[in-house]
Amino acid sequence: MTLYGYARVSTDGQALDAQVDELKHAGATKIFKEKVSGAVRDRAQLARAIKALEAGDLLVVTRLDRLARSTRDLLNTLDTVAEKGAGFRSLKDAWADTTTAHGRLMLTVLGGLAEFERDLIRARTTDGRERAKARGVRMGRKPKLTPHQRREALDRRTAGEPLVEI
């Protein structure tokens, strides 16, 4: 089992030293470090850390906010870690530890809440779309061609003209 650490700060003005020290103290043998906002989805060092994971390995962070910006982002990342057969632990958030039954329970509950929230959002969005359609609102992009141009194109096609020329 290899213990991998992931340390992140949001700006160049912040230092990674404290996180790196904590991760080393926790036993991390390889630490992936980056200075990038948590709002950025493509975090190269996090991707490298996850790619390095093998079954039985452990990804460790000092705090959850170093790994993810939102519950959904956290759950997606942890799902990717789990797919590799690896575990996850946050040093300051004891409940966020997929190597323990309690940690898995907490993350399962969070996952259920996130799924429930997604379903509520989907239902509200669908209802809003249906109400808008009932009011006559047209969904999607506006047509590029006018009704006259569409009729003309269809007439030309019916007359046998190739699409490329139309």
Side-chain angles (χ1 to χ4, degrees):
M1 175 181 100
T2 304
L3 204 94
Y4 292 101
Y6 175 69
R8 182 187 63 78
V9 291
S10 298
T11 64
D12 286 332
Q14 296 174 318
L16 289 161
D17 300 342
Q19 288 181 54
V20 170
D21 289 345
E22 284 183 62
L23 292 167
K24 282 181 182 175
H25 184 72
T29 54
K30 172 74 174 144
I31 299 173
F32 295 86
K33 303 173 270 193
E34 61 191 341
K35 291 184 178 187
V36 64
S37 169
V40 174
R41 290 206 178 260
D42 296 323
R43 289 174 271 159
Q45 293 302 308
L46 177 59
R48 284 185 61 217
I50 292 172
K51 185 176 181 180
L53 292 172
E54 294 180 0
D57 289 345
L58 188 63
L59 179 63
V60 180
V61 295
T62 56
R63 292 188 337 235
L64 281 179
D65 66 346
R66 301 298 87 204
L67 181 69
R69 183 80 167 212
S70 66
T71 303
R72 183 169 303 161
D73 184 31
L74 172 66
L75 294 170
N76 289 339
T77 302
L78 294 182
D79 187 50
T80 304
V81 170
E83 286 174 2
K84 304 276 285 186
F88 169 79
R89 181 180 304 146
S90 170
L91 299 177
K92 299 252 168 77
D93 306 289
W95 60 268
D97 182 350
T98 64
T99 66
T100 68
H102 289 103
R104 286 189 300 276
L105 171 65
M106 288 300 295
L107 290 167
T108 300
V109 169
L110 273 179
L113 290 172
E115 187 174 331
F116 176 68
E117 178 187 20
R118 280 192 301 273
D119 287 345
L120 288 177
I121 291 168
R122 189 178 304 118
R124 284 193 305 264
T125 304
T126 301
D127 289 346
R129 200 172 17 247
E130 288 172 3
R131 284 193 307 275
K133 283 181 182 178
R135 288 192 319 268
V137 174
R138 296 194 55 161
M139 300 293 169
R141 294 188 318 189
K142 292 186 180 197
K144 294 232 180 224
L145 302 176
T146 65
H148 172 72
Q149 290 170 322
R150 282 194 300 268
R151 262 192 319 276
E152 185 177 320
L154 288 171
D155 290 345
R156 289 171 64 184
R157 182 68 181 139
T158 303
E161 194 172 337
L163 284 175
V164 176
E165 290 181 22
I166 295 174

